[in-house]
Amino acid sequence: MKWLRENLFSGWVNTLVTVGLLFLFVATITALFEWAFLDAVWRPDPNACREAHGACWGFIAEKHRFILFGTYPFDQHWRPALATVTLIGLWVFSLIRLFWRWWLALVWVAGLALIGVLMWGGVPGLPFVENGRWGGLILTLLLTTFGIAFAFPLSVLLALGRRSDMPVIRALCVGYVELIRGVPLISLLFMASVMLPLFLPQGMTVDKLLRAQIALILFAAAYLAEVLRGGLQAIPKTQYEMADALGLSYWQRTLYVVLPQALRIAVPPLVNTFIGFFKDTSLVLIIGLFDLLSTIKVALTDPKWIGFGIEGYVFAALIYFVFCFAMSRYSRRLETHTGGVQVGARAD
């Protein structure tokens, strides 16, 4: 009560502002609740939606399978659904510190092999489905997963290369990072989609999905490298000197002394970059791939459901929020668990 009196009701001006904001907040929440729930239409009836004054969740009820699975064969939707659950399960399994063992890599290999079989098929009982028909949530998750998995080790090498004592290696790493960070992701996707096939030998083609994945990996690696470089710069010089005094080689010093500390320092900006990368996958629409957000745009072209874009984008926003909020909370938990990094501690 003391805090409220001192900060919100300390004078007649503050009191008026506080009361006005509270009234505006209650009115907004009430109107939003009526629109989203009380006056909403839940059945897939476009005529009823146009006559109602609330949200048309019937659009989601009608188009949710297309939004989540894209143009994947309708009678095979159980396959991308199971693949999505498997991939999310792999991520949840990997976030538990108890399972951070060598065999976790084998679990990922087995899980990704299962996802590949489910999505492609081509085995007895599962008809083949080309990856051009993949779309929706599973495409977003796959692009994010493989993008981070391949971009992270590349970013580590780039960050180390930028701090290398070898001028050629340092110049190459600096040039790569500055070049990639100096252009938008859209331009990289265009290059991968249009220009890359021109440099390939005649008769050789690269899958469209693979080209997009390569562009995303190269883009993410440059940004992650800068984050890791900041973590490396935060480590005091004494840490390097102590490692040298112990007779450690460059790679031993890097793997056992420098990188563990740099990664713990860089946990918050790393996760922030992961979240941004997860949302940036929506740009693959420009090269003909339909991720979660793209399938909503396509679904809205149906003449029966034109004009209900708000509901579709709210649905997409909720999905993005769930994944991004989960990553953010895990980042805070991991940062708290490590207890910070006392890189400046004395070594007696």
Side-chain angles (χ1 to χ4, degrees):
M1 294 299 295
K2 181 180 179 181
W3 182 90
L4 293 176
R5 185 171 59 255
E6 293 178 352
N7 293 275
L8 301 180
F9 302 97
S10 58
W12 67 270
V13 176
N14 280 352
T15 301
L16 287 177
V17 172
T18 300
V19 173
L21 290 176
L22 285 175
F23 176 79
L24 181 62
F25 176 77
V26 172
T28 302
I29 293 298
T30 302
L32 182 61
F33 182 80
E34 291 178 354
W35 175 83
F37 297 102
L38 298 182
D39 298 332
V41 176
W42 300 89
R43 64 184 185 277
D45 185 350
N47 294 325
C49 287
R50 290 187 175 89
E51 295 174 359
H53 299 287
C56 178
W57 302 120
F59 168 73
I60 304 301
E62 175 75 15
K63 298 292 186 179
H64 72 279
R65 296 183 67 165
F66 177 78
I67 293 173
L68 294 177
F69 308 127
T71 59
Y72 207 89
F74 188 84
D75 59 337
Q76 299 291 318
H77 277 178
W78 65 272
R79 290 162 56 180
L82 183 57
T84 301
V85 173
T86 302
L87 188 54
I88 295 175
L90 286 173
W91 276 109
V92 173
F93 188 80
S94 302
L95 296 179
I96 302 175
R97 294 174 61 88
L98 180 64
F99 301 142
W100 290 4
R101 300 291 186 269
W102 64 269
W103 45 262
L104 182 60
L106 299 180
V107 174
W108 268 96
V109 170
L112 293 177
L114 175 61
I115 292 173
V117 171
L118 288 171
M119 295 301 297
W120 267 301
V123 299
L126 295 179
F128 176 76
V129 178
E130 60 181 7
N131 54 25
R133 300 194 64 180
W134 299 4
L137 180 59
I138 183 61
L139 181 61
T140 298
L141 294 178
L142 286 174
L143 290 173
T144 303
T145 300
F146 283 98
I148 293 175
F150 286 96
F152 188 77
L154 178 58
S155 67
V156 172
L157 296 178
L158 289 171
L160 294 175
R162 290 203 64 167
R163 295 176 56 84
S164 174
D165 295 329
M166 301 180 183
V168 175
I169 294 179
R170 184 171 62 251
L172 289 175
C173 292
V174 170
Y176 171 83
V177 171
E178 296 303 327
L179 175 63
I180 298 298
R181 283 167 53 88
V183 296
L185 177 57
I186 293 178
S187 64
L188 293 179
L189 291 171
F190 268 122
M191 288 288 293
S193 177
V194 179
M195 299 298 296
L196 180 60
L198 300 179
F199 294 94
L200 298 176
Q202 186 175 4
M204 180 179 179
T205 59
V206 178
D207 184 79
K208 180 170 59 177
L209 178 59
L210 180 59
R211 296 200 301 267
Q213 186 70 82
I214 292 174
L216 290 171
I217 290 172
L218 296 177
F219 180 80
Y223 282 83
L224 290 173
E226 284 297 276
V227 173
L228 292 175
R229 186 170 69 94
L232 293 172
Q233 289 180 332
I235 300 176
K237 187 179 180 181
T238 54
Q239 296 290 303
Y240 296 89
E241 295 173 347
M242 287 187 289
D244 292 336
L246 292 174
L248 300 180
S249 65
Y250 171 80
W251 288 110
Q252 287 176 326
R253 181 187 68 185
T254 301
L255 293 176
Y256 300 120
V257 178
V258 177
L259 271 182
Q261 299 183 65
L263 291 175
R264 286 196 293 268
I265 293 174
V267 165
L270 278 176
V271 176
N272 185 56
T273 306
F274 293 160
I275 292 174
F277 180 72
F278 174 69
K279 293 183 288 186
D280 285 342
T281 56
S282 61
L283 294 176
V284 297
L285 170 65
I286 65 173
I287 61 173
L289 296 175
F290 297 98
D291 72 314
L292 175 64
L293 195 60
S294 304
T295 53
I296 292 178
K297 295 179 180 178
V298 175
L300 290 171
T301 60
D302 188 338
K304 294 190 304 182
W305 297 103
I306 292 178
F308 300 107
I310 295 178
E311 292 82 351
Y313 290 122
V314 167
F315 179 68
L318 289 175
I319 294 177
Y320 277 108
F321 174 78
V322 168
F323 284 97
C324 294
F325 182 74
M327 286 188 280
S328 176
R329 293 298 300 176
Y330 181 77
S331 169
R332 295 187 62 179
R333 179 181 176 184
L334 184 62
E335 185 181 7
T336 304
H337 183 80
T338 56
V341 187
Q342 298 178 355
V343 295
R346 294 178 56 188
D348 297 327

